[in-house]
Amino acid sequence: MSAEAIGPSKAARARRGHRIDVLRLRRLGRAAVFGPAAPRHRLPDAIEHIAQVHRRHHPGADLDALRRAYLLAESAHRGQLRKSGEPYITHPLAVTLILAELGAETTTLTASLLHDTVEDTEVTLDQVRAGFGAEVELLVDGVTKLEKVEYGAAAEPETFRKMLVATGTDVRVMSIKLADRLHNMRTLGVMRPEKQARIARVTDEVLIPLAERLGVQALKTELEDLVFAILQPAEHARALELLRAHQAGPEPLEKVADRVRLILREAGIAAEVLIRPRHVLSLHRALLKRGGLGPGGFGRLLILVAEDADCYGVLGELHTCFTPVVSEFKDFIAAPKFNLYRSLHTAFADRDGLVAEALVRTHAMHRVAEAGVIALGDPHRATAPENPQTAEPAAGGEPGRPGWLSRLLDWQRQEPDPDTFWTALRAELAEDREITVFAEADDEGPLQLPAGATCVDAAYARHGRLAHTCIGARVNGRLATLRTVLRDGDTVRLLLDPDPGPSAGPAPEWLEYATTPAARIPIRRRLEEQAHPAERAAAPAPVAAAPHTPAPARTEPAAEPVALVGEAPGAPVRLARCCTPVPPDRVCGFLVRGGAVTVHRESCPVAGRMTAAGRHALEVGWRSPSIGCRVTLYAESLGRPHLLADLTEALAAQGAAVLQAEVEPPRQQRVRHTYTLRLPDASGLPALMRAMRSVPGVYDVSRAARPRG
């Protein structure tokens, strides 16, 4: 975009006085590049090829907006050059042609012609709106970069934030950005190597995952190869050499393709059988995965049919007439990918032992597989698309607002810091698979989560900040810890504290369980709020809590239970959750961020590591031995019926309130129970532990003395 434009800036043009009249030279240069000027109302020669490509996908499209957009862009960019020395107008023309080839509708093409005018020229958004309407204005504004002069180092992450927010309204914004980046990557060779590497890394970490999520495989694969060539030139050269050597000889898959065509013709299935060669990065990945490729490994068969039912008919013929490789079969028609991709994948061996991979899909599926959301057209249109034959139902979600995009937009609003947002965005996009989990309640819809998500992630995806009060979960009807990793198709019920206290909040260990920014950002912010001295000075010190019990006791005394002796007078105090100290434990304290003091048992391994690391331990003591407290206990037992009920009865008899109970799966008939309890008087803890040990089958009860998880 503007980084490649060489020409007068807005400020320079404002300060410029008289200048030599070079209008005639400009006209000659324009004619040399684009041909003679077109008469009024006739398409300029420069966009005639774009118009021809566009008409193939949308025969009835009105091209007047394209004509006017080109005339405005050419006039606005006149005199600007790219770093390659070409007239700058060649860039928006190339971007528009990329989108036209993918089947983008007229509004997208109009905005792509104008996508750099507001950023690099005197054209304003008001002018774009007046001339082309609100939709085009939104698209142009969405891809317009923020000024480095105003935003400094935050310009790039904030530009992407702005672009993603606009994409949440209209996914065509990201389509234009991807095509823009593809053309810039094609012409990146004129830049310095270090700048090439920086742009390639951002493309690899952000834009390629976005292209994958939007299903625009045609752009994604070319971007991958261009990035691969810059970031791993030696590996790229080796893979490219292998590919060229293979292409120099006869294609082994041709005989297989002919055999497949004959079989399908005899079966009465109308199909188009093509050989789809691997691109360079795909070949490199296949070599790494398999250690080598057979003769048929340099490409795949692409079989295109008319109807969904024909896909399964083709599959049956392939598996009947050849030897199928069962482990390679995948059905993305019955279970589409989250990026709209639908296809059957299989592999088979012919009579000579040649293994061939095959992709089976309809022509409509193929258009969506290549162009993704671009093939679906305007997400806001309620009527039929310009060419109904190119339309594909939105499998797996509304194309205007995919589930992953909704998650991203939700958490980015909670993270104002651009650096943290940038880091979290790349981490979110690094996970390229999704799962769907369902709720037990009929009135709650399914949740789309990244693969590897836990119950903590599900809680924040479902309930937002209310998830601070989550105390447990049931997965597929069984109690589960909040760190449980969810699988596709799981049924989840999230258990919230019905009466949370004013300072309810998550345990620090939740940060270890959370994998999504939508969970990590609110957890981190809540923990920082709880640790802030100004907020804690007027509140009682928190009592240690188990990772899954965020609500602190509401029966604690107003005074802090721990007194500092001689050092840091008046500092706010919190009891460490890793070892849950209670009177009369011997304790020590450590200053932490924000000026607070965290109190640990002297025997706590965490305290030992802090001391070994050179951290100064403060002398602390208990104000009173008879205060209420929370404590986490581990009960080791032999498995038997009714053990949980007997333990719970013993706890109730000692006046302990059970805030959280977890039972780990039995191992060699041994079961570990974890209880988070609230005691009215810490001095009753020894008697409580003795009562638990007296329950038949329980052979040990111990205090929590290490971080859990």
Side-chain angles (χ1 to χ4, degrees), residues 450-460 470 480-486 506-517 519-520 523 545-549 577 634 660 662 664 674 706-709:
T454 64
C455 291
V456 169
D457 298 306
Y460 283 89
C470 191
T481 64
L482 290 182
R483 62 176 175 267
T484 300
V485 176
L486 300 172
E509 290 83 356
W510 286 19
L511 283 174
E512 300 174 14
Y513 308 156
T515 65
T516 61
R520 295 182 62 83
I523 291 172
H548 311 310
T549 312
R577 289 181 170 92
Y634 299 143
Q660 174 72 25
E662 297 177 8
E664 297 181 6
T674 303
R706 57 181 176 82
R708 299 178 61 193

Side-chain angles (χ1 to χ4, degrees), residues 421-569:
F421 161 75
W422 195 230
T423 301
L425 174 65
R426 287 179 290 182
E428 169 93 353
L429 295 177
E431 178 54 63
D432 60 355
R433 294 185 300 115
E434 271 199 356
I435 61 171
T436 301
V437 297
F438 301 91
E440 288 185 358
D442 294 335
D443 57 342
E444 294 181 339
L447 283 178
Q448 302 290 332
L449 296 169
T454 64
C455 291
V456 169
D457 298 306
Y460 283 89
R462 175 72 73 192
H463 298 294
R465 292 179 66 86
L466 188 61
H468 292 331
T469 66
C470 191
I471 57 175
R474 269 194 350 200
V475 178
N476 300 326
R478 301 184 65 180
L479 285 174
T481 64
L482 290 182
R483 62 176 175 267
T484 300
V485 176
L486 300 172
R487 295 174 297 179
D488 195 32
D490 279 349
T491 300
V492 180
R493 180 183 177 186
L494 299 162
L495 309 175
L496 305 182
D497 189 339
D499 186 25
S503 58
E509 290 83 356
W510 286 19
L511 283 174
E512 300 174 14
Y513 308 156
T515 65
T516 61
R520 295 182 62 83
I521 289 173
I523 291 172
R524 188 183 66 249
R525 295 189 67 175
R526 180 62 173 171
L527 293 175
E528 290 173 351
E529 291 172 2
Q530 290 176 323
H532 197 281
E535 296 177 359
R536 295 184 59 81
V543 182
H548 311 310
T549 312
R554 291 175 291 282
T555 57
E556 296 172 7
E560 293 175 342
V562 179
L564 298 176
V565 180
E567 298 184 68

Side-chain angles (χ1 to χ4, degrees), residues 197-371:
R198 184 186 67 79
I199 294 174
R201 279 192 293 271
V202 173
T203 303
D204 186 43
E205 294 173 356
V206 178
L207 286 167
I208 288 176
L210 286 171
E212 168 72 18
R213 280 159 173 72
L214 293 173
V216 194
Q217 295 296 321
L219 299 186
K220 170 183 172 281
T221 54
E222 187 174 352
L223 284 171
E224 284 181 330
D225 284 350
L226 292 167
V227 167
F228 184 37
I230 292 173
L231 298 183
Q232 298 179 330
E235 290 83 353
H236 179 272
R238 282 195 293 271
L240 186 59
E241 183 180 356
L242 282 173
L243 193 59
R244 287 173 176 168
H246 173 79
Q247 293 170 346
E251 174 55 65
L253 288 177
E254 278 293 353
K255 291 183 180 180
V256 181
D258 290 339
R259 174 70 175 155
V260 170
R261 293 186 187 103
L262 177 61
I263 290 171
L264 297 181
R265 188 162 54 248
E266 292 176 347
I269 301 175
E272 184 178 359
V273 182
L274 307 171
I275 297 176
R276 187 183 181 94
R278 289 187 183 274
H279 63 102
V280 183
L281 182 59
S282 174
L283 178 63
H284 174 70
R285 287 171 174 166
L287 289 170
L288 291 179
K289 179 180 178 181
R290 304 174 189 176
L293 291 177
F298 288 82
R300 290 181 286 189
L301 297 182
L302 175 62
I303 304 174
L304 302 177
V305 294
E307 304 291 340
D308 288 16
D310 292 336
C311 295
Y312 294 98
V314 170
L315 183 70
E317 294 297 326
L318 294 179
H319 286 190
T320 300
C321 300
F322 299 97
T323 303
V325 181
V326 179
S327 61
E328 295 295 322
F329 172 66
K330 295 173 184 172
D331 187 346
F332 294 118
I333 296 179
K337 288 187 177 182
F338 68 92
N339 62 357
L340 312 178
Y341 179 84
R342 302 174 71 208
S343 185
L344 295 178
H345 290 204
T346 190
F348 56 85
D350 68 0
R351 65 187 68 173
D352 299 323
L354 178 68
V355 176
E357 297 179 53
L359 310 175
V360 186
R361 59 181 71 144
T362 66
H363 291 278
M365 290 177 193
H366 182 59
R367 282 190 290 272
V368 175
E370 292 295 292

